[in-house]
Amino acid sequence: MNNCIFCQENRFVNNLKVGFTLSESLIYENEYIFVTPDLSPLVSGHLLIVSQNHYNSFAEAPVKVQDALQRAIEYIHNNLYCEKITWFEHGAVFPGKGGASIDHAHLHVLPYDLPVQKAVEADDRFSKKVPFSKDIFHRLAKRQPYLWISNGFDSSSIYYVDILPSQYLRDVVMNLQGRKNYNWKSNFMKEESIRKYKETLEKIHLRGI
């Protein structure tokens, strides 16, 4: 049985547990990706871009999926969160690696400029940093777990990593805000998460996607 919560048969099951309908859970989709509010938001406006089919990471996904991802990032940046943006992916590549808690390609988008890269670079658990390119992305697939981080659409960086704590970048973002309890699995049913989810929907409906 496939227990992946981003695969079609299980998608939005947790959303229904806290009372969100399909129309409130699915902001946009095409044949390659879909966009949904994060169910346990790190900040109001926290979105996820998720591959329709199951890949361990976006590096593993076909070029058409990667291109659809880039277009979705660009649209969100230019039309929803025009001034500031931070986005990142835990590149699992191998199940349980790269700090991912869900081994299904998904990228986080936050409407804030946060020094996530600086925090990662202060950690000794990454071995190499390189500017993003499609060639590097292709070579990472099924070979090297990674973190993919950017503070804007024009440039992004790949960090080579191996074993990281689950939800590593969630923890980084929470620490940057002076907060704890980043675990989405224990937080998504809490009042604060539900409030931020609703605030995200309000942001989206005001600006449109």
Side-chain angles (χ1 to χ4, degrees), residues 74-110:
E74 184 173 12
Y75 184 90
I76 292 169
H77 188 190
N78 292 338
N79 295 278
L80 299 181
Y81 305 144
C82 304
E83 296 180 1
K84 298 178 180 179
I85 190 171
T86 298
W87 49 265
F88 58 82
E89 180 197 6
H90 289 101
V93 178
F94 306 110
K97 296 291 183 75
S101 67
I102 303 170
D103 298 317
H104 183 127
H106 62 287
L107 182 137
H108 300 256
V109 185
L110 310 177

Side-chain angles (χ1 to χ4, degrees), residues 144-156:
Q144 173 63 56
Y146 63 89
L147 303 175
W148 184 22
I149 308 172
S150 179
N151 288 88
F153 185 73
D154 294 332
S155 63
S156 58

Side-chain angles (χ1 to χ4, degrees), residues 43-185:
V43 296
S44 297
H46 184 173
L47 298 176
L48 296 178
I49 307 173
V50 188
S51 64
Q52 291 280 12
N53 295 325
H54 189 100
Y55 309 102
N56 284 339
S57 68
F58 276 113
E60 184 184 354
V63 171
K64 288 183 178 180
V65 176
Q66 295 173 1
D67 289 345
L69 169 66
Q70 291 278 7
R71 288 193 296 271
I73 295 170
E74 184 173 12
Y75 184 90
I76 292 169
H77 188 190
N78 292 338
N79 295 278
L80 299 181
Y81 305 144
C82 304
E83 296 180 1
K84 298 178 180 179
I85 190 171
T86 298
W87 49 265
F88 58 82
E89 180 197 6
H90 289 101
V93 178
F94 306 110
K97 296 291 183 75
S101 67
I102 303 170
D103 298 317
H104 183 127
H106 62 287
L107 182 137
H108 300 256
V109 185
L110 310 177
Y112 297 92
D113 183 0
L114 298 171
V116 176
Q117 295 191 59
K118 183 177 180 181
V120 169
E121 290 167 19
D123 194 330
D124 61 5
R125 284 178 285 195
F126 87 91
S127 60
K128 184 179 180 181
K129 174 186 175 182
V130 294
F132 171 83
S133 73
K134 289 186 177 181
D135 180 61
I136 287 173
F137 222 39
H138 176 73
R139 286 189 275 123
L140 286 171
K142 298 184 179 180
R143 299 177 190 176
Q144 173 63 56
Y146 63 89
L147 303 175
W148 184 22
I149 308 172
S150 179
N151 288 88
F153 185 73
D154 294 332
S155 63
S156 58
S157 299
I158 297 288
Y159 295 84
Y160 288 30
V161 296
D162 187 13
I163 299 174
L164 291 174
S166 178
Q167 305 180 58
Y168 172 77
L169 289 175
R170 279 184 173 270
D171 190 24
V172 168
V173 171
M174 290 295 276
N175 284 334
L176 289 172
Q177 299 177 77
R179 302 168 60 213
K180 299 292 182 182
N181 298 323
Y182 64 93
N183 191 317
W184 75 263
K185 295 177 183 179

